[in-house]
Amino acid sequence: MSEMAGVQMKASEINKDIKKIYSLYNQAHESFVDIWQKMILFTPRWWLGFALSILPWIIWFKLHNRHNRGDLIRAGFFMAIIALILDSIGLQFGLWTYPYNVFPFITGYLPWDLTLLPVSMMLMIEFMPNLNPFLKGIIYGALAAFIGEPIAMWLDLYEPIHWKSIYSFPIYVLLFLLSNYIAKGKLSHATF
């Protein structure tokens, strides 16, 4: 019986410590939201992020072939979810930061994770149908890592701390290849 009491006591201590950590996290997040409201919301960089969150989807919607919509959306959602997860992990490990988040409640950078990466991937899949997928993945990875990230740094939207664009390159290539496979996995009848 004493072993069970020891386990319950240990669980109680762990629960108490976790609650304390979450309390500190909530305080930090409240401070972040306060700064975001006072210093970021409605600034030119915030508006840029807001536009980058919406305009690429509008462009894609007008350009894509409606017959491929479901397959492309499935691949786009895959890309967005994985990008958001990886971005959250990178932020939590302090590898990079986003000074001008569009929303303070999403840990990643919404325009990059949920719009620019998936939309550019969907456009590449659809409008370069005969190009080797691995070559498309390399092009996609190079564009995202060596052009997209530096532009985001230049605009002060992204600040790498313990990260280099060369680290991102193979991740973008892999994400493209997986997304391409998802899009084309059921597309033996597709037009792209």
Side-chain angles (χ1 to χ4, degrees):
M1 212 48 164
S2 64
E3 184 177 322
M4 184 62 135
V7 168
Q8 286 178 344
M9 185 174 180
K10 190 181 272 187
S12 173
E13 290 173 19
I14 291 170
N15 194 21
K16 182 180 174 185
D17 289 344
I18 288 174
K19 284 182 181 179
K20 190 184 303 182
I21 291 167
Y22 275 116
S23 175
L24 293 171
Y25 173 79
N26 287 335
Q27 289 172 11
H29 192 264
E30 286 174 13
S31 296
F32 177 76
V33 171
D34 186 51
I35 290 170
W36 179 84
Q37 288 175 334
K38 291 176 183 173
M39 301 178 78
I40 296 169
L41 184 61
F42 304 127
T43 63
R45 284 187 179 93
W46 182 88
W47 283 110
L48 175 62
F50 184 77
L52 290 173
S53 299
I54 297 170
L55 293 178
W57 282 107
I58 293 170
I59 292 167
W60 175 81
F61 190 77
K62 290 183 181 236
L63 294 178
H64 83 285
N65 181 338
R66 296 185 196 293
H67 297 293
N68 302 325
R69 182 181 294 165
D71 298 312
L72 289 169
I73 289 284
R74 185 176 59 249
F77 281 162
F78 170 79
M79 173 69 82
I81 289 167
I82 299 301
L84 193 59
I85 290 168
L86 293 175
D87 211 355
S88 296
I89 291 169
L91 284 163
Q92 290 177 19
F93 278 104
L95 301 177
W96 54 76
T97 186
Y98 299 109
Y100 290 90
N101 278 0
V102 176
F103 297 106
F105 309 105
I106 298 175
T107 55
Y109 188 62
L110 180 82
W112 189 251
D113 297 338
L114 302 182
T115 300
L116 295 171
L117 288 177
V119 169
S120 61
M121 175 272 305
M122 292 186 302
L123 288 170
M124 278 191 79
I125 288 173
E126 188 167 17
F127 294 111
M128 297 178 156
N130 298 322
L131 196 60
N132 178 300
F134 189 71
L135 181 58
K136 282 197 286 190
I138 290 172
I139 293 168
Y140 180 84
L143 290 172
F146 304 125
I147 295 176
E149 287 184 8
I151 288 172
M153 290 186 310
W154 180 70
L155 292 170
D156 199 28
L157 299 174
Y158 163 66
E159 182 182 337
I161 298 170
H162 301 290
W163 194 257
K164 296 179 191 241
S165 294
I166 192 72
Y167 305 155
S168 299
F169 174 71
I171 295 169
Y172 291 135
V173 172
L174 181 61
L175 285 177
F176 179 87
L177 292 172
L178 291 171
S179 298
N180 185 67
Y181 177 78
I182 288 169
K184 294 190 174 188
K186 294 184 178 180
L187 294 178
S188 57
H189 65 281
T191 59
F192 60 89

